[in-house]
Amino acid sequence: MYLAEDQKHQSGTILKEKDFPRYFDAFLKERVIAADDARVDLRTSEFADVYLKPNRIISMLDAQIRSAAGPKGVVCIETVDIFREWSPDEVAYAASVAELIGFFMDREERLQIHTQLEEVNERYDLAMDAAVDGIWDFDLVNGLVFFSTQNFKLLGESYDVAPDQFSWWEERVHPDDVKKTRDAFDEHIRLSLPFNETYRMKHSDGSWRWWRSRGQVMRSASGKAVRVVGTSSDVTDFINMQTELEQRNQQLVLANRKVEDSALRDALTGLPNRRHFERVCKEFHTNEFEDERYVSILHIDLDYFKDVNDKFGHAIGDAALISVARHLNALKHRDEFVARLGGDEFVAILDDGQEGTRAHAFCIELNKRLATPMEIDGHGISISASVGIAGCLSKLADIWGGLGDADLALYEAKRSGRQTSCMFDPKLRQKAKHNRDMKEQLSQALSESGQIVPYFQAQFDAKTSELVGLEVLARWKHPEHGLLLPADFLKFAEEMNCVAELDRQILNEAIRCLQNWRRDGFVAPRLSVNISGQRLVDPQIIECVEALGDDAKYLSFELLETVFLDVTNDQVSQSLYRLKQLGVEFEIDDFGSGYASILGLVNVRPKRLKIDRSLTLNVHEDPAMISLVKSIVDIARALKIEVVAEGVENQEQAETLAALGCDILQGFHLAKPTSHAGIIEQKYKLMKR
């Protein structure tokens, strides 16, 4: 084991199957174990106390090393102190490394067999040269043959008077070997070619023994052949060993072919795998086809497949993948190609026209088949697929590059609602470049001060119009695009997994503004700050709030991920409890938008909830909205929760919402979001409103 942090190696650890049965069972069945959180993953959790925790290991990627004889070992890639979601490329890489090691193990074994065979041959050759088993001397003039006693012993025979006729030998040779051996003997006499023949002789017990005879013709002064002197050995054991070794070698060759074939095939679905797809890409790029066919590359991704695994377990998820693979195989034509890239991603190369009609028909039929729920272990599993399509000519086609274009189209299909397909457009490359640039610039903005700033929108008492708080809103002072709203950059922060850092910076800046206002004579009643679930369980949030001292009582955290809060775990509950102890209030944002729930209210027990602007937009003229808002207010009253109505755009809305019992109003009609400096400029207006 190589410890990257310490740059040290250690060895001597032995894993026994009886100690870790679940791991060994998964190891033998799955070939590759990708455990994002190895301490809780059932396949690897047995290692938690004895191995993972002592070594601070979080994630494990284990790939089985296989040879023709079966499992030989495992390649382990592990992260220390870091949680990692293993990507399909990383899983494929680990599998490829393990397969390569297994291949070389097989090759080494074949070399050993070959060496062993050569050693056996040498031993027999030495034996023949050093000690002759049987000696014979054939007098070509009188036709008599001298056979040494050892010749007879080799066949289990004994004579008082040894036979001296050539017929003794000829009668005992296997009928299938007589002609070949006699022809070689005659050829030796005629041309002095080497006589070294292996053939079968009949033993007295009825069995057939392998003999090897060697001879040398002797000639008179005139060159006439007068005799042949030679030796005979029983080489049955050698021939049997040679035959067995050759059979084993053939088995190894077949096994290696099988291993190579399995290395190109997905173990779960039986489809070609990513490695096979890469080989196909190379073949397309290096082979010039006689006819210039137009091909479509499809990147297929199952929608919300993670939910299937989370709800029903990986066994049912695997069964669903196998079913999808069957559909794909059934839909492809004879000369078309379908593969599984990994996870719930597939790829297809289809013969098509420039309009992509074949590809679109393929996608429609695929989703039509998937629309029928799969019956798996008594569960009805419904899934759909989103597909990105890119096309190119088959002549020297860049299939791998086409997959990149199809991937951009797939992202667009996902964004447009899923369960659909999207054809690649060159504009998508520009869009992808823009997204990459924005992510790089956002990362830089988060590492530098001054670009991520808080804006503030005032909140007022619905009855008295008194200022009761300020909602803190994130803004990005982009050096090229100007002031950007969260809708312009929040999705990039989520994809970069840096929402918690964004929350942290906004909170710190908002507190600094709060303290500056106090020095300028303005005391904000309350700051409502958005906080993600990721930030809520960050231990640093407690430390940050504790450092505020009395200023913590001015804070109210708006919880954005209310779906997550519906099933609060111990860590979330402890964080909520501690923050409430420090004086922080909580609000549930966007209530009624379809994400929050009454269960979330009961679990979190917030100080207030905010009715989503989609419900307040037409509340002054839509009776249905009036009834809905009134119901939310009644629920809040029952739980002793204040109600904030956001999105107030006119006086009619404000009056209606106040009459319905909303406690606090917020919207452009009352006050627009403004900067820290803007609050100072408007402080008297806000306080006297």
Side-chain angles (χ1 to χ4, degrees), residues 516-527:
N516 289 340
W517 292 333
R518 189 180 299 129
R519 287 193 294 269
D520 291 333
F522 173 66
V523 179
R526 180 186 68 250
L527 292 181

Side-chain angles (χ1 to χ4, degrees), residues 242-345:
Q242 186 181 46
T243 302
E244 181 181 351
L245 289 174
E246 288 175 352
Q247 289 174 347
R248 287 186 61 192
N249 190 52
Q250 290 175 357
Q251 290 171 355
L252 280 174
V253 171
L254 293 174
N256 278 333
R257 290 176 183 171
K258 188 174 181 179
V259 168
E260 184 177 357
D261 181 67
S262 66
L264 297 175
R265 194 160 296 279
D266 177 56
L268 177 65
T269 63
L271 292 177
N273 59 13
R274 175 180 286 269
R275 185 177 176 185
H276 193 171
F277 173 67
E278 291 172 353
R279 180 176 292 187
V280 170
C281 292
K282 185 176 180 180
E283 290 173 354
F284 263 92
H285 195 62
T286 55
N287 294 332
E288 187 168 336
F289 295 91
E290 294 181 1
D291 57 328
E292 291 193 359
R293 297 178 297 149
Y294 194 86
V295 298
S296 287
I297 301 99
L298 279 62
H299 191 182
I300 304 162
D301 186 86
L302 303 183
D303 300 327
Y304 305 111
F305 185 73
K306 183 177 182 298
D307 295 343
V308 175
N309 281 331
D310 292 345
K311 184 176 181 181
F312 300 105
H314 287 279
I316 289 181
D318 288 349
L321 289 173
I322 293 171
S323 179
V324 171
R326 290 198 191 102
H327 287 310
L328 291 172
N329 249 335
L331 288 172
K332 78 178 184 69
H333 292 164
R334 180 176 180 181
D335 295 329
E336 296 177 337
F337 179 81
V338 172
R340 181 189 179 203
L341 296 181
D344 61 340
E345 293 183 65

Side-chain angles (χ1 to χ4, degrees), residues 1 149 173 216 366 449 451 480 556 570 662 685:
M1 181 166 66
T149 304
V173 179
Q216 180 62 52
L366 174 62
S449 60
Q451 288 196 40
E480 298 176 15
S556 179
D570 290 341
C662 294
K685 179 181 177 182

Side-chain angles (χ1 to χ4, degrees), residues 536 557 559 562 565-566 568 572 576 580 586-588 598-607 641:
L536 186 61
F557 285 162
L559 306 176
T562 47
L565 292 169
D566 282 350
T568 52
V572 172
L576 289 172
K580 286 181 180 180
F586 287 93
E587 304 175 15
I588 290 187
I598 296 176
L599 179 60
L601 296 178
V602 174
N603 285 341
V604 179
R605 292 288 180 176
K607 178 69 176 178
I641 298 173

Side-chain angles (χ1 to χ4, degrees), residues 91 211 240 250 260 267 270-271 353 360 377 385 395 402 405 419 437 479 493 507 554-555 570:
V91 173
W211 271 30
N240 290 341
Q250 290 175 357
E260 184 177 357
L271 292 177
H360 286 298
D377 288 347
K395 188 174 184 179
D405 291 341
Q419 196 175 350
D437 292 344
L507 176 59
Y554 294 103
L555 282 181
D570 290 341

Side-chain angles (χ1 to χ4, degrees), residues 222-253:
S222 63
K224 181 181 178 182
V226 293
R227 62 193 301 188
V228 180
V229 178
T231 62
S232 294
S233 303
D234 187 324
V235 294
T236 304
D237 292 342
F238 167 71
I239 294 296
N240 290 341
M241 181 182 293
Q242 186 181 46
T243 302
E244 181 181 351
L245 289 174
E246 288 175 352
Q247 289 174 347
R248 287 186 61 192
N249 190 52
Q250 290 175 357
Q251 290 171 355
L252 280 174
V253 171

Side-chain angles (χ1 to χ4, degrees), residues 46 117 150 200 293 423 483 490 629-630 637 660:
E46 294 167 320
L117 183 60
Q150 194 67 14
R200 287 163 289 180
R293 297 178 297 149
M423 196 76 180
L483 192 67
L490 187 58
V629 171
K630 183 64 170 63
R637 287 283 179 272
L660 290 172

